[in-house]
Every structure is written in structure tokens, then in C-alpha cells.
Amino acid sequence: MSESTAIPDLAARAAALDAADELGKLRERFTLPDGVVYLDGNSLGALPAGVAAATADVVTRQWGELLIRSWDESEWWTAPERIGDKIAPLLGAAPGQVVVGDSTSVNLFKALVGAARLAGPGRTRLLVDAATFPTDGYIARSAARMTGLTAVPTDPADVLAALGPDTAVVLLNHVDYRTGRLHDLPGLTAAARAAGAVIVWDLCHSAGALPVGLDAHAVDLAVGCTYKYLNGGPGSPAYLYIAERHQAAFDSPLPGWNGHADPFAMTPDYHPADGARRGRVGTPDILSMLALEAALDAWDGVRVEAVRAKSLALTDFFLDCVAAYVPQGLVESVTPAEHARRGSQVSLRTENAREVMRELISRGVVGDFRAPDVLRFGFTPLYVGFADAERAARTLGHVFG
């Protein structure tokens, strides 16, 4: 198909898909710059429209007028659990199992050391996703040293064969950050638990993009950030999921005063709070915490299943457009074609990827680059439409001449 033929066909198809899109109206819940196709929400989500006013109220009234009274009167003190319960349905978790605060790295450290302490005696290995985001690997190796385990890099495809009676903990990413490959959370969780291991999932690239089902699949522990598909803002606090069955025995390596059963007793001995609250450490970062709470209002009335259906349709359509607009052989998709193995992004391998992405951004199509040769496009169904996908692929074709 020539480009002159492809453009009207694909543009008309995009218009029809957008007209039928039940989530299309949700774009109004976000503040996006005119003329820009934003396909980097898997790094930093767009600004939800209600956040600016909510944050202004936190600063000017709650902090500026009420001052320290806001810990009670504005319910600052309970924000970590309250916002955790707001995130929980997006993770497939019942209330009381998610606490918000700290960074993903800090929560991962808590989860891994806590998992090692939950594991049975005589277990010596911590299996770590070999393709994980680097920080996860750094934290895992440190946690292993602290707990006497040996960190073993393992491809998720090889985890089943690697599991054994000496496996204490398994750390996996639900979606690979480079390729967008979706891993089998239900199957791998069941296998790890059958082997007597404790499994920890990193949900940074899946929560808010697809159903997770933490409770349904009996996941032990999970962590994730909130500034990607949950649109919480740059540096917004992360979350820690502790399955209810593990809460009484979960022994955090960071026993801060906020996780104490009676924080204001100021006793020298530490007694952990009940439930997921024991995952708290220090004073909550209220400004970013409450910006996140306001951002999550964008999810009101939205079903994660509908988000997943649109995500798959968007990525399918984008790949069709890339095939039509980009000369054959110049890009190669490294994202699995099968829906069951695909997250909510498309990663394309090409030469001079850094320069190509720089040129795309200059033309109003914002994705990102991952070394050494990957163009990464994230599709956030709450505010990305099919016309965006068509324009992005057409612009990529223009960049290639």
C-alpha cells in the first residue's frame, strides 16, 4: 500500500475507532498540551485536570491556614492507607493490603527482606528477573547480602526450571520495561508458591494499564510506582502490597516510627502496627501524597478491563500503521504480538534510535529511547486515542523519509 493510499484509509479507520471508543471522553479529565501526541505515559503520566486545584488547597488552606491541625482535621495522618485503598481496586486487591509512601526502591527493599524473613529455613536463593529495571537488581543484591541469600539472575521464561527447595524468594516484573513483554503472573505465582518460595512482583509497568489480580492469584507481596499509568506526578509516592495472610508475620527491615503500633508513645522498643500499616516508615510526603489522591479521581467509574481492551486495540492499530507507513526493514517490533504477552507499550528496534526519537519529539510525537536501539511508545488508554496512534506512526514514516 502506498502512503497516499494508506493515509486516508488509516486516518478514517482511526476516526471510526475514536468515535466508538467508550473511554474517549476520559481525555477531558487530563491537561495535555495542544498539538502533541503523548506516548510516554509509561514513564510519566499526564496531569489529571483536578490536581492543580487540589494541590493549591493543600498548600494554601490545609498547610497555610490550618498548619499542624491538618494532620487530624485534613486527615493527613491516614493518607497512606486511605490512598492505598483507592489504588487497591486497580491491583485487584481488597482494602487493607496496600500502603502508599516512600519510593519503589525503598518499598522493594522492604518487600524483599520481608519476603526472605517469611521464607522457610534452609532456603538460600533469591531469583531475580534477569532483565529487570536496574534498580530492582541493585536492591535485590543488597537484600540478598543482608539476609544471607544468593541473588540469581533468571529469565522469567526459565523461572519454572530454576525453582527448587532452596528457592526462598522470587522477584519478577509484571511487564518488561524495555520490550513491553507481559509475564505470566498467575502461572509464575502459583509455581513459586508451590515450590515454597515467596514471590514479589514489580507492577510499575502494569498497574493502571491492565488487570493484575493480586488477591485472585494469591500473590504474596508487590510494589509499584504511581507516576506512570496512575498519573500521580513526578516522584509521586509508591505503594507496597502485603497480602493479608502475611501481615501479622511481615517483618519490615525499616521499622520507622510511622509503622509503630502507637507512634506517639515514643517508646524505645518497636511494636509494628497491625495490617499493611506496618509498611509505613517515616512522616508521609503530604504534598505529593495528596496530589496523587486527587490524580486517582481520574479513575472514577473506569473499569480496568475496559482499559486493557482499549490498550490492546491501540497497540494493534499502531503496529498496523507502522507497517503501512515505515519502509520495510527499518524498524523491528520487540514487543510480543500475542495479546497474552503484551503490556501497554510498543518497543521498536532501529538504528540511530536516539536521534530518531529526538526528531519525533521535535515534530510533536513524544515517546522515549532506551539504550542501545529501542524506540518506546507507551499507550495510556485514559487519554491516548487512535488518531494519536495513526499520527505517531505516520510521523515516524516521515522521519525515515
Side-chain angles (χ1 to χ4, degrees):
M1 180 185 295
S2 68
E3 183 176 327
S4 60
T5 303
I7 289 175
D9 287 354
L10 290 171
R13 186 174 155 199
L17 288 167
D18 280 331
D21 176 20
E22 65 173 297
L23 301 182
K25 61 183 180 298
L26 298 179
R27 189 182 183 110
E28 299 172 357
R29 298 184 181 183
F30 294 86
T31 300
L32 291 158
D34 293 335
V36 171
V37 173
Y38 189 63
L39 301 181
D40 207 4
N42 54 334
S43 283
L44 175 64
L47 171 66
V51 170
T55 304
D57 179 70
V58 173
V59 172
T60 59
R61 184 182 65 85
Q62 296 181 31
W63 179 15
E65 297 176 15
L66 297 179
L67 295 165
I68 201 167
R69 292 160 50 195
S70 273
W71 284 106
D72 292 322
E73 294 181 29
S74 301
E75 300 182 314
W76 286 359
W77 186 258
T78 58
E81 302 88 62
R82 182 178 71 246
I83 301 171
D85 283 346
K86 200 167 183 177
I87 291 172
L90 302 177
L91 310 179
Q97 299 177 100
V98 180
V99 64
V100 172
D102 305 310
S103 67
T104 306
S105 299
V106 173
N107 283 321
L108 182 61
F109 178 74
K110 299 176 206 172
L112 289 175
V113 175
R117 292 172 175 175
L118 288 169
R123 293 176 178 267
T124 59
R125 293 191 304 151
L126 191 167
L127 304 185
V128 183
D129 188 335
T132 190
F133 190 76
T135 291
D136 284 22
Y138 307 153
I139 296 292
R141 289 191 290 273
S142 178
R145 289 194 302 272
M146 283 189 62
T147 56
L149 301 180
T150 300
V152 182
T154 309
D155 189 290
D158 299 327
V159 165
L160 295 181
L163 287 168
D166 60 348
T167 307
V169 180
V170 180
L171 168 63
L172 295 172
N173 289 266
H174 197 189
V175 173
D176 183 280
Y177 80 102
R178 284 192 185 89
T179 66
R181 179 174 60 164
L182 174 65
H183 296 133
D184 179 12
L185 182 146
L188 291 169
T189 298
R193 298 191 68 233
V198 180
I199 193 160
V200 180
W201 284 95
D202 182 329
L203 307 177
C204 285
H205 289 271
S206 61
L210 51 91
V212 178
L214 294 180
D215 287 354
H217 302 304
V219 167
D220 295 311
L221 301 162
V223 302
C225 65
T226 61
Y227 49 78
K228 295 180 173 41
Y229 295 106
L230 299 183
N231 310 295
S236 57
Y239 55 85
L240 170 65
Y241 165 87
I242 308 171
E244 184 177 14
R245 65 185 178 278
H246 290 311
Q247 289 175 359
F250 182 80
D251 182 8
S252 174
L254 297 173
W257 77 288
N258 258 243
H260 196 287
D262 188 1
F264 292 96
M266 302 297 175
T267 60
D269 296 325
Y270 182 75
H271 300 285
D274 293 334
R277 286 195 305 128
R278 64 180 54 201
R280 293 175 62 154
V281 183
T283 304
D285 41 353
I286 290 298
L287 296 182
S288 57
M289 183 91 62
L290 298 186
L292 167 63
E293 184 172 32
L296 291 168
D297 289 343
W299 285 90
D300 287 352
V302 179
R303 294 182 307 110
V304 178
E305 293 77 12
V307 170
R308 175 60 169 165
K310 181 177 176 181
S311 163
L312 292 171
L314 277 169
T315 48
D316 280 344
F317 180 64
F318 178 70
L319 287 167
D320 288 347
C321 292
V322 169
Y325 291 142
V326 178
Q328 190 172 2
L330 294 183
V331 299
E332 172 197 5
S333 176
V334 296
T335 302
E338 307 97 314
H339 285 182
R341 297 178 59 235
R342 186 195 307 167
S344 196
Q345 70 185 60
V346 173
S347 295
L348 303 175
R349 180 173 289 134
T350 189
E351 293 183 4
N352 302 315
R354 186 189 299 273
E355 290 74 19
V356 171
M357 183 54 68
R358 186 179 294 119
E359 182 61 26
L360 280 171
I361 292 171
S362 75
R363 299 182 186 207
V365 174
V366 180
D368 68 11
F369 159 77
R370 285 292 179 266
D373 56 2
V374 171
L375 305 172
R376 200 175 65 152
F377 302 93
F379 290 84
T380 306
L382 299 189
Y383 54 79
V384 172
F386 293 90
D388 296 322
E390 189 272 339
R391 179 183 158 191
R394 178 158 39 91
T395 304
L396 182 62
H398 290 159
V399 170
F400 283 111

